Amino acid sequence: MLELLRIRNLALIEDAELEFSSGLNALTGETGAGKSFIMRAVDFLMGERMDKKLVRPGTDKATVEALFVLPEGETVIRRELSAETGRSRVYVNDTLSSQPTIRDMAARLVIHTSQHGQQKLLSPAFQSEILDSFLPDQSLLAARSDQLAVLNDVLERKRRLSEKFDDLQKQREFLEFQKKEIETVDPQPDEENELEERKKILKDRERAGECLQNALDILHGEVGLLDAMALLNREMEIIARLFPGFDEDREAIEELRMRLHDMDSRLRRGPSDFDDDDPMSLDDIEARLFALAKLKRKLRRGLDEIVDMKAEIDESLSFLDACALDMKNLGREEDQAAAALKETLASLNKARKKAAGELAIRIVDELTDLGFSEHVKVHFEFDARELYPGCDDMRGRLMWVPNPGQPAQPLDKIASGGELSRFLLALVTMRGNGNKDGEEKDARPSLIFDEVDAGIGGLTLNSVGKKLRALADRQQMLLITHWPQLARMADRHFLIKKEVVDNATYTRCERLDNDEIKCELARMAGGGEQGAALAEKLCK
């Protein structure tokens, strides 16, 4: 039950608080005063979108807050709308929540029936949804949706597989050509860099060999450096004996001669890491690099890309070879999914036809109570919507005969606004009757009727009033009406009016007492003596 609703800074509403009764709550006022906008605020609270332009000028946000009393306790829902960004935040018991969560809660909190609902009632799709909502076994609908999703998934996978097969089949000859070109060269990952490194090493070794030979030639040439150093050392020994001051020079020459002998030995042996065990010569490496460069030019890709490309080509060609088996497996999945869907649809369509007959009888009973002729007839016609070859989803469309002697026609062809209002009220009544016996009143969703009485009057109005009163005795109702005959039945009456203060317009919400109710009923009845008389009569 919706116990308290507070609206702040939303459109013309600066701050309004409405404390509702558990029974029938009437909201009345002049056209344009803002009655329906209060119901829009409830819809906003239940997850509907609202434009940031509706935030009251001069304020940073609008807030709608409601207190619901449920069997498990009180629940406070608050939603805020930013004037700057248009984004909203929703809180449940002061804890940040999400709009999907609120929408899930909405079905057990509020049922909103408005003139917009009358227009939805004209839609064949909505009529089919109505019939489905009265099915005793809702699991059939869930099974239909799940199995259709499975079937559509299989069909989508088949479509993608077929598209890929067709695309690759067109490229097969070219793919095989590319594969042959790559296999002929057989490039390896990072091979080009490795070859360049080996090429550099071999060139370095070639140059080092030349230098070694040149050094040996210097040491052992026609005037070899070693022979010259031996002669110089012998002469220095004689000089040092004759002139002791040259003894250090002699020692230096001797040391140098020994160092040259040692170097000669090492040059003859060569460096320890100079052994060339590379099986490829420089010519071999150059030829391999040329072959790789030619392949890169031909395929217009880098070497690493070509290596990866080979794996992709192998995968694509393997896919083409295995595609027939994959399509066969998907075909089996499709047949199984279609068979399951067909079986579920058979049960669902049978259940729909049975429910349609029972629902039609219940609708006729409700319409008769609402002032329709006792001769009114209602039934559902079914149109087959093919979900898959051999799988027809039978969608029910509401047909009626308001007067005897007329052929049955769709509701949208012949129903007036007043008739639609009563049809909608009949359906809501039956939905309300679907509550479990003994279920607490607080556990039932609050009913909101926004001018659902439009287009009716006279004796029909009395029938509608009785029906509304009976509903309100069973669960809470919020009723926006222009009829004093309906407003006078309210357990609590609110007047919605506009006021201008200091050139600013405000929507006010006032709870009326006995004398104020009589004045409002008189206004609704047309005012003057005639309106006052009717109000006096209604209040007795």
Side-chain angles (χ1 to χ4, degrees):
M1 182 186 87
L2 174 58
E3 183 169 285
L4 184 68
L5 176 67
R6 188 175 185 187
I7 307 169
R8 286 174 287 178
N9 300 322
L10 191 61
L12 299 180
I13 301 175
E14 181 182 42
D15 192 349
E17 187 174 293
L18 297 91
E19 186 174 354
F20 296 112
S21 162
S22 61
L24 176 57
N25 299 270
L27 284 75
T28 65
E30 296 284 1
T31 299
K35 301 182 297 298
S36 294
F37 199 81
I38 291 174
M39 298 302 103
R40 280 193 64 192
V42 176
D43 290 340
F44 171 67
L45 195 66
M46 294 293 102
E48 296 296 325
R49 294 177 60 86
M50 187 168 283
D51 197 299
K52 67 179 182 179
K53 295 178 181 178
L54 293 175
V55 178
R56 188 172 178 82
T59 61
D60 60 350
K61 65 180 178 181
T63 304
V64 180
E65 192 170 16
L67 169 63
F68 290 90
V69 178
L70 305 172
E72 62 268 26
E74 295 182 346
T75 297
V76 177
I77 301 176
R78 182 177 81 256
R79 191 173 178 192
E80 300 173 348
L81 177 65
S82 170
E84 180 180 358
T85 64
R87 295 178 180 175
S88 66
R89 290 183 177 179
V90 63
Y91 300 84
V92 177
N93 295 329
D94 282 330
T95 299
L96 187 64
S97 187
S98 65
Q99 293 184 36
T101 299
I102 295 301
R103 290 194 184 101
D104 290 341
M105 295 175 61
R108 59 188 291 259
L109 296 178
V110 171
I111 298 175
H112 189 172
T113 304
S114 63
Q115 290 180 334
H116 174 65
Q118 295 177 20
Q119 298 307 309
K120 286 180 65 177
L121 187 56
L122 298 178
S123 164
F126 185 65
Q127 295 170 17
S128 179
E129 290 176 12
I130 290 173
L131 174 59
D132 284 350
S133 70
F134 282 91
L135 289 174
D137 184 3
Q138 292 290 308
S139 65
L140 288 172
L141 293 169
R144 185 271 314 267
S145 298
D146 291 344
Q147 290 163 358
L148 181 59
V150 170
L151 178 58
N152 286 335
D153 177 67
V154 174
L155 294 174
E156 176 62 19
R157 284 188 284 144
K158 278 189 67 177
R159 183 192 65 78
R160 292 198 301 266
L161 186 68
S162 179
E163 285 183 356
K164 184 177 179 181
F165 176 82
D166 292 342
D167 184 53
L168 290 177
Q169 187 65 26
K170 294 175 185 176
Q171 303 179 49
R172 181 164 197 152
E173 184 175 339
F174 181 62
L175 290 172
E176 289 175 341
F177 164 76
Q178 288 182 318
K179 180 182 179 183
K180 183 178 179 181
E181 290 290 321
I182 295 171
E183 287 179 342
T184 299
V185 179
D186 193 23
Q188 301 301 312
D190 206 32
E191 180 183 4
E192 198 170 26
N193 291 334
E194 292 177 1
L195 288 172
E196 290 289 353
E197 184 65 25
R198 290 166 69 182
K199 176 182 173 181
K200 180 178 180 301
I201 291 172
L202 288 179
K203 282 192 171 185
D204 288 346
R205 288 177 177 176
E206 186 179 75
R207 175 61 179 154
E210 292 175 358
C211 292
L212 285 170
Q213 188 58 50
N214 290 338
L216 289 171
D217 289 345
I218 292 171
L219 292 173
H220 300 284
E222 293 181 4
V223 184
L225 184 57
L226 286 175
D227 292 339
M229 288 302 297
L231 293 172
L232 178 61
N233 184 59
R234 189 167 59 246
E235 297 299 328
M236 287 302 297
E237 285 179 349
I238 297 171
I239 292 171
R241 285 198 302 271
L242 296 174
F243 303 100
F246 284 95
D247 192 53
E248 289 186 8
D249 296 313
R250 182 195 63 75
E251 290 178 357
I253 292 299
E254 175 64 16
E255 183 180 356
L256 177 59
R257 187 179 70 82
M258 296 302 294
R259 284 180 175 272
L260 289 174
H261 272 290
D262 180 61
M263 184 176 69
D264 176 56
S265 298
R266 287 187 290 111
L267 287 172
R268 289 178 183 279
R269 292 195 305 269
S272 60
D273 58 348
F274 193 68
D275 293 336
D276 186 7
D277 57 356
D278 196 321
M280 297 182 72
S281 67
L282 272 173
D283 289 341
D284 294 335
I285 290 175
E286 291 286 3
R288 181 62 178 170
L289 286 171
F290 177 77
L292 293 176
K294 184 179 178 182
L295 182 64
K296 289 196 297 182
R297 287 194 303 272
K298 186 174 290 187
L299 300 182
R300 297 180 180 179
R301 284 177 170 81
L303 193 63
D304 289 341
E305 292 178 300
I306 292 174
V307 172
D308 293 338
M309 180 181 173
K310 181 179 182 300
E312 292 173 5
I313 291 174
D314 289 338
E315 182 181 347
S316 296
L317 293 175
S318 297
F319 166 81
L320 286 172
D321 295 335
C323 191
L325 179 60
D326 292 339
M327 289 294 285
K328 186 176 181 180
N329 290 335
L330 282 175
R332 281 199 295 267
E333 286 188 47
E334 180 183 356
D335 292 342
Q336 291 171 359
L341 177 62
K342 186 175 182 179
E343 182 179 350
T344 296
L345 285 174
S347 299
L348 176 59
N349 292 335
K350 182 178 179 181
R352 279 172 171 161
K353 290 180 179 180
K354 181 180 179 181
E358 296 172 354
L359 181 58
I361 294 172
R362 293 177 61 189
I363 291 175
V364 168
D365 290 342
E366 293 293 337
L367 292 178
T368 303
D369 289 345
L370 289 169
F372 278 82
S373 165
E374 62 181 8
H375 301 291
V376 66
K377 294 181 181 179
V378 173
H379 71 273
F380 283 87
E381 285 189 355
F382 288 90
D383 294 323
R385 184 164 67 95
E386 188 178 72
L387 302 181
Y388 180 84
C391 296
D392 291 334
D393 192 24
M394 306 301 291
R395 311 305 299 270
R397 187 177 186 184
L398 200 54
M399 307 289 288
W400 79 315
V401 181
N403 301 300
Q406 294 180 317
Q409 295 189 49
L411 191 63
D412 53 296
K413 299 296 184 184
I414 54 176
S416 66
E419 289 168 334
L420 286 175
S421 297
R422 286 180 284 166
F423 248 97
L424 203 56
L425 180 56
L427 291 170
V428 173
T429 299
M430 288 188 293
R431 183 175 174 182
N433 285 337
N435 293 315
K436 298 176 182 178
D437 293 337
E439 185 179 41
E440 294 182 46
K441 192 173 183 179
D442 289 347
R444 298 170 180 173
S446 300
L447 300 175
I448 298 178
F449 289 105
D450 188 352
E451 299 188 18
V452 73
D453 51 10
I456 60 176
L459 294 175
T460 299
L461 188 62
N462 294 331
S463 300
V464 170
K466 291 178 181 178
K467 183 63 66 176
L468 290 172
R469 184 63 257 180
L471 270 175
D473 289 339
R474 191 168 63 239
Q475 62 200 106
Q476 185 189 45
M477 180 186 300
L478 278 61
L479 173 68
I480 295 177
T481 181
H482 288 286
W483 286 103
Q485 291 92 331
L486 299 183
R488 64 99 178 173
M489 297 187 301
D491 298 298
R492 195 163 291 177
H493 192 147
F494 296 89
L495 173 63
I496 314 301
K497 61 182 181 178
K498 282 198 295 190
E499 291 182 353
V500 178
V501 179
D502 296 332
N503 293 321
T505 305
Y506 299 86
T507 290
R508 309 291 192 192
C509 305
E510 298 179 1
R511 178 181 169 181
L512 305 181
D513 59 20
N514 293 333
D515 292 336
E516 292 169 332
I517 290 173
K518 187 180 295 186
C519 290
E520 173 61 7
L521 294 178
R523 181 199 66 77
M524 296 174 70
E529 293 182 0
Q530 184 176 355
L534 179 57
E536 187 68 34
K537 181 179 179 181
L538 292 174
C539 290
K540 287 183 180 179

